[in-house]
Amino acid sequence: MLELTPGDGCGNRFLLVNEQKMSAAGESAPQLAQRLCGSTYDGLLVLGAETGGALPVVIWNRDGSDGGACLNGLRVAACFTGQQRGRLLMAGHCVDWRRIAGGYELDIPLRAEQIVIEERMDQNGDPWFQVEFWNPHAVFSKLPDGQSLADFAASVSARRDIFPHGVNVEVVPQLGHSEELQMRVFERGVGETAACGSGALAVAAVAWRLGADHCVGVQMSGGRLEVQQAERGHIRLRGAAKVGPPQSLRELLRSAPKVRV
C-alpha cells in the first residue's frame, strides 16, 4: 500500500510521496493531490530520484495544478530527508539548504536586483506591486473596504492581461515602514493559506525597494519567516519545518481531514 508523509512548513501543510512508489501504485500526482489535499493540505510534494547531487521535488496544488516553486515545501522536503544539509531541485532551480536552530535555511540562488518589481496604481490611486521571480505575485498594503481576501484575490487574478498564469496575492499593512511585517496570502490553485515562502520573499523584495534593511521578518498566521540578503548576493530564507509519521493511502482517504502533524 502506498504511503505518504504529512509535513508542515511554517503553517503550509503538505503530503510527501515518493515518485517511483506512486507510479508503481498506479497513481497520478494531480489526481492524488485533488483526492487527498482538500482543505487540510496545501499541496502534494512528489520526491524523485536524486540526480547530480540534487533531490528533485515537484509540488501539485490541491486543485491538481502545478504549484511551480514552493519555498516552504522545499524546507519540508529538506526535513523529510533527515540530513543536516543538501540540495533540492524544484521548477528548474537548484537550492542548497541546511538545518539550523529552530528550522531550516534555504540558500536561494537569486539576487534582489533580479526580482522584477513594477509599481502600479489601483483605481483609487493607491500603489501596489507586481513582483515576478519564480512565481507571480501581487503585493498590496490593504484590502478594499468591505471586500474579503478571497474576493479581492479573484478580482486581481482575473486580470489575465497582467497575470496570464494566475497570481499569488499578498496583503501587508505597514509595507515599507518596518522590517517586521504581517502578511496574509491567497495562493493560486489553493486559496488563503497560513503561510507562503515565495510570498514572503516577494514582500521582502518590495520592502527592500522601499528602503528596508537587508533582513526582513514576515509574520503569517502559521508562523514567521526571515528573509535576508546574504553574501554572494544570494537570498536566505529561514523558518520552521517538520514531518509526521507516514500514513497509508487508505488511511488518508478515510481520515485525511483529521490528520495532524
Side-chain angles (χ1 to χ4, degrees):
M1 172 62 69
L2 180 64
E3 288 190 330
L4 299 94
T5 300
D8 184 297
C10 201
N12 266 152
R13 305 193 69 234
F14 306 98
L15 286 170
L16 299 92
V17 65
N18 178 279
E19 181 180 34
Q20 185 176 7
K21 293 179 180 178
M22 179 185 67
S23 298
E27 298 288 347
S28 113
Q31 292 178 357
L32 205 56
Q34 290 175 312
R35 290 166 67 197
L36 296 179
C37 290
S39 60
T40 303
Y41 298 101
D42 298 318
L44 176 72
L45 297 172
V46 181
L47 281 60
E50 185 170 318
T51 56
L55 177 67
V57 184
V58 178
I59 181 168
W60 297 91
N61 293 327
R62 63 169 60 145
D63 69 352
S65 61
D66 186 337
C70 176
L71 304 182
N72 282 339
L74 284 177
R75 291 198 333 282
V76 171
C79 179
F80 177 80
T81 69
Q83 305 298 313
Q84 294 297 310
R85 61 179 63 242
R87 175 173 290 180
L88 298 166
L89 173 65
M90 178 179 274
H93 307 287
C94 274
V95 177
D96 291 325
W97 64 269
R98 67 187 182 104
R99 187 171 183 175
I100 59 173
Y104 293 81
E105 177 186 85
L106 303 181
D107 184 4
I108 301 167
L110 184 69
R111 295 177 181 272
E113 59 267 25
Q114 292 176 310
I115 300 174
V116 178
I117 302 175
E118 183 173 350
E119 184 174 346
R120 296 180 177 271
M121 297 290 175
D122 65 16
Q123 58 187 6
N124 297 318
D126 294 323
W128 63 276
F129 299 89
Q130 179 183 353
V131 185
E132 299 279 349
F133 55 103
W134 294 352
N135 291 335
H137 297 269
V139 179
F140 298 82
S141 61
K142 62 182 179 179
L143 287 172
D145 290 341
Q147 197 164 12
S148 69
L149 177 58
D151 289 342
F152 179 59
S155 68
V156 175
S157 186
R159 289 292 308 273
R160 293 296 177 173
D161 56 320
I162 303 177
F163 303 111
H165 305 294
V167 63
N168 296 339
V169 176
E170 290 85 24
V171 178
V172 187
Q174 301 300 314
L175 182 63
H177 298 278
S178 172
E179 278 81 40
E180 286 293 328
L181 301 170
Q182 301 278 337
M183 181 181 89
R184 290 179 66 190
V185 57
F186 193 97
E187 293 193 61
R188 58 178 181 167
V190 183
E192 184 169 4
T193 58
C196 177
S198 64
L201 200 162
V203 165
V206 173
W208 293 329
R209 168 72 72 88
L210 297 176
D213 196 13
H214 68 285
C215 188
V216 173
V218 181
Q219 181 69 46
M220 298 154 286
S221 63
R224 180 180 181 274
L225 291 173
E226 188 175 271
V227 190
Q228 178 184 20
Q229 294 186 60
E231 57 271 18
R232 294 190 297 146
H234 286 193
I235 294 173
R236 291 179 178 169
L237 183 143
R238 307 180 186 97
K242 60 182 178 178
V243 295
Q247 302 274 338
S248 72
L249 177 57
R250 182 180 293 113
E251 290 172 323
L252 286 166
L253 288 172
R254 183 172 60 245
S255 60
K258 300 177 183 178
V259 172
R260 293 292 183 268
V261 173

